[in-house]
Amino acid sequence: MVSGFALLQMAIENVLMKSMGLKNPDPAIRNPGIQLMPLREYSAHTVLSTQSLTLVFSFAMMFTSLAVNIVAEKEKKIKEGMMMMGLRSSVFWLSWTLVYMVLISIASCLIITIIVVSDFISQSNIFLLFLAFLLYGGSFVSLAFMITPFFNKAKSVTMVASLLYMSQVFLYLVISETRSPNSYDSSMDPRLLWIMCLSSPVAFAAFL
């Protein structure tokens, strides 16, 4: 592997030595040996983990946006006004569900298209991948509905929703680090693994 970073570093160090008055530095300093730091061996396991985490973050903004919009309506008393005009609660929640499921479907189609074109994940059934993305996005629609009753300020739910999403996503790292380098088999107790897969990001990343 060849890059210009080491040469750039040497040039900067020479300029610094001259600016410090070291016009005739020691030859060992003037002509230092240069080499790249050692790199870790390529591992398909690392690549798979990175791919999974990248795709798991695909609906992070939608989850936070949905939670914030619902709480903002409650904060501004918009929902109460619509209820007074005869809006049913079931219609209110169904409308948000339909809007975001359409957005999730469009986003899933775009992601699947990129996966197919770039061969990001090979030898996978496209329909099953689309279904997995759709169900994964739907799980966060339900989660957003679940947390919104506990908040009255949109700013508060923004931080909590982001932390909740991140905490669930990084649960997958626990599973990933216990897998053998060239296999999906994990050294973790299967019962604990099934319990952790109740979290949709963990189950989705494990599926990938």
Side-chain angles (χ1 to χ4, degrees), residues 106-119:
I106 296 172
S108 298
C109 289
L110 292 175
I111 294 171
I112 295 297
T113 302
I114 294 172
I115 288 175
V116 172
V117 172
S118 63
D119 199 24

Side-chain angles (χ1 to χ4, degrees), residues 116-144:
V116 172
V117 172
S118 63
D119 199 24
F120 192 60
I121 297 179
S122 59
Q123 299 179 350
S124 298
N125 186 291
I126 297 176
F127 174 74
L128 290 179
L129 278 176
F130 175 76
L131 185 62
F133 274 101
L134 201 62
L135 293 175
Y136 176 58
S139 70
F140 275 109
V141 171
S142 302
L143 183 60

